[in-house]
Amino acid sequence: MSYAIVGFGKIGHALARAFARKGIEVSVATTRDPASFASDAAAIGPTIIPQTLAQAVKADVIFLAIRFESHPEVAKALPSWKEKTIIDAMNTFAPPEELDGLPSSAFVAKAFNGARLVKGFNHLGASVLAQDPAVHGGRRAVFLASDDDGAAAEVGALAEDLGFAPVKLGGLSEGGRLVHARGESWGHLIFKDLVKFD
């Protein structure tokens, strides 16, 4: 299984650190030349591989850690996203009418034709997400929502590998609404830093 993070701002850096802690290789990409952020990637660890967007989208599992407004442009990188798993780690404050009344992730799913989309890793601020998820003898929770049970299970397994405790919230229409920030409507679980004890 290959992994990529599209976007290398605060959330992208936090996700990269999670991969680096576990020694799992992940590509990082932006719309810029990889040479422009290669030193940042190297500072996080040797398993963080700077790539072009065209290279990164060849991965099996792709995190979207970009500004919400940029996702349609990234979606043009492939004619079809079939057999790709997209993890939507974005938030938006766009009003519901701009999203056709859909949860933000359901709106994103329309742009990534054929992809299996999972909402996840978006409810924590970057500074918290960047920390080791092993806290107080437990594991920091990450919430996942998807209309594809198989994709949710796959991303749940990845979350476990990264040291987090995945909590599945159901489909995008119910679970997705709990973890999104949209307009003046904030999901009940957004920015909640919860720890699971086994």
Side-chain angles (χ1 to χ4, degrees):
M1 192 72 69
S2 55
Y3 304 104
I5 301 164
V6 176
F8 204 40
K10 291 179 180 178
I11 293 293
H13 274 76
L15 290 167
R17 287 190 184 97
F19 277 86
R21 269 193 300 271
K22 296 298 183 178
I24 302 171
E25 188 172 292
V26 64
S27 302
V28 292
T30 71
T31 53
R32 295 178 287 128
D33 186 314
S36 68
F37 54 88
S39 60
D40 280 355
I44 295 173
T47 60
I48 311 306
I49 313 298
Q51 290 190 330
T52 64
L53 179 60
Q55 292 169 320
V57 296
K58 292 177 183 175
D60 301 309
V61 178
I62 301 160
F63 285 84
L64 296 179
I66 51 178
R67 287 177 40 241
F68 184 84
E69 297 75 20
S70 302
H71 82 266
E73 197 58 37
V74 171
K76 293 176 186 173
L78 287 176
S80 170
W81 293 83
K82 191 170 169 53
E83 297 182 6
K84 302 282 185 188
T85 299
I86 299 289
I87 301 172
D88 175 11
M90 303 179 293
N91 285 310
T92 179
F93 298 103
E97 56 271 19
E98 287 184 18
L99 304 180
D100 301 333
L102 296 169
S104 59
S105 291
F107 187 81
V108 171
K110 293 198 310 182
F112 289 84
N113 178 40
R116 307 185 313 152
L117 189 132
V118 178
K119 182 74 168 176
F121 293 86
N122 70 296
H123 81 284
L124 295 171
S127 61
V128 175
L129 186 61
Q131 297 169 20
D132 189 328
V135 285
H136 309 304
R139 293 176 297 146
R140 182 164 278 122
V142 291
F143 298 115
L144 306 175
S146 181
D147 293 336
D148 186 311
D149 290 342
E154 181 181 285
V155 175
L158 173 59
E160 294 259 9
D161 289 344
L162 295 175
F164 293 92
V167 178
K168 294 174 189 163
L169 300 177
L172 295 176
S173 60
E174 14 3 286
R177 291 184 192 278
L178 293 173
V179 287
H180 75 168
R182 186 181 71 173
E184 295 179 4
S185 169
W186 290 55
H188 293 301
L189 296 177
I190 198 84
F191 304 136
K192 294 284 190 290
D193 182 10
L194 304 180
V195 176
K196 180 181 178 184
F197 298 97
D198 296 317

